[in-house]
Amino acid sequence: NSIDLVWFGGLTGVQARIQTPGAMVIAQRDIDSNFHSVFIANVQSGIKPIEGELGLNILKGRRFTFGSESSTSGRLMPQYFLLKAGVAIKDLSGGMAGFSGSHDATLALVQSGSYEAGVLNKQVWETNLRRKKVDKSKVRVIWESPNYADYHWLAQPDLDNRFSKGFTKKLQNALLGLQEHSKTQSRILNLFGAKRFIPAYDYQYKEIELIGRQLGKIK
């Protein structure tokens, strides 16, 4: 109860709501209702692009890294898609996966050849492409995942009682009201990699909760 408003990933937001009954999902970026992960491979690994998730079985026996252990787009959803293709962590090289700690680190490790393949969120991949930090002669996308809901703003359940009636709604409206045409507000949006914030709802993260329980990330 020490923070009133938090920017969470999909999984960590669900975990926080379970620990704090009544906490409210109030907004997400325009890209978060249709978020994607991209699986990448070092070109020298010989791993070719695939067409469907079942093709991820090509990663069996390969040196593979996730991002952060609690990342929705860099671990939870990718592990789920791998399992659907029949690839458990024990099936990877050495019977284990790497955890780079961040999306940027995953890209660097795969591009350098430290790992043959890895996964990161599409937004980070595209940002690095724009900044020319991706060497396409060394690393490539082999598959883009289906969409899922991810990052969001989560508010404490008692803000109206502590501040004023309707405060949570005012807070939501302030986030939704940020505009690109305002110089100051556009700087805020750019820091989040968004063009705007849109309403978000608890039910959008039900799939995340179910998968989190299935993979043992939520008890």
Side-chain angles (χ1 to χ4, degrees):
N1 201 36
S2 60
I3 302 177
D4 296 321
L5 180 68
V6 186
W7 177 243
F8 275 120
L11 173 61
T12 49
V14 169
Q15 291 170 326
R17 280 194 290 116
I18 291 172
Q19 295 176 42
T20 312
M24 299 174 61
V25 177
I26 62 171
Q28 60 186 193
R29 297 171 301 179
D30 48 349
I31 61 175
D32 286 315
S33 61
N34 291 286
F35 213 70
H36 300 266
S37 296
V38 290
F39 285 74
I40 60 174
N42 185 279
V43 171
Q44 293 299 315
S45 72
I47 300 172
K48 305 294 185 183
I50 61 174
E51 293 187 2
E53 63 187 25
L54 294 181
L56 290 174
N57 60 19
I58 197 174
L59 296 175
K60 283 186 176 180
R62 299 289 192 161
R63 289 179 286 110
F64 182 89
T65 184
F66 294 107
S68 165
E69 293 195 40
S70 62
S71 172
T72 304
S73 54
R75 192 277 173 82
L76 183 77
M77 295 306 294
Q79 186 178 353
Y80 170 69
F81 294 126
L82 283 168
L83 284 173
K84 290 183 71 175
V87 184
I89 289 180
K90 64 180 178 61
D91 298 319
L92 300 170
S93 177
M96 59 190 298
F99 289 95
S100 72
S102 73
H103 301 290
D104 288 313
T106 294
L107 172 58
L109 288 168
V110 175
Q111 185 161 271
S112 71
S114 296
Y115 283 89
E116 294 176 286
V119 64
L120 65 155
N121 80 46
K122 184 179 178 181
Q123 181 196 22
V124 174
W125 170 260
E126 292 183 337
T127 297
N128 279 282
L129 279 174
R130 289 194 301 272
R131 294 175 178 173
K132 302 187 184 304
K133 292 185 177 181
V134 176
D135 185 340
K136 292 183 179 180
S137 71
K138 295 181 178 179
V139 63
R140 62 188 168 202
V141 172
I142 60 169
W143 187 64
E144 180 178 316
S145 76
N147 67 289
Y148 52 87
D150 202 347
Y151 296 89
H152 54 283
W153 286 107
L154 189 67
Q156 285 282 7
D158 62 345
L159 298 185
D160 285 17
N161 292 331
R162 291 171 48 213
F163 293 101
S164 63
K165 183 177 180 180
F167 181 85
T168 304
K169 185 63 177 178
K170 292 178 182 178
L171 184 60
Q172 181 186 44
N173 289 339
L175 291 168
L176 301 183
L178 293 173
Q179 300 290 328
E180 270 196 303
H181 58 71
S182 164
K183 183 177 180 180
T184 302
Q185 294 176 13
S186 67
R187 289 178 62 191
I188 296 171
L189 292 169
N190 286 336
L191 288 170
F192 281 90
K195 293 185 177 179
R196 63 191 176 102
F197 286 106
I198 61 176
Y201 307 94
D202 295 0
Y203 70 81
Q204 292 176 282
Y205 298 90
K206 190 62 180 177
E207 180 186 33
I208 298 292
E209 180 180 350
L210 293 174
I211 294 172
R213 293 187 186 280
Q214 177 185 332
L215 299 182
K217 298 299 291 182
I218 299 175
K219 304 298 183 182

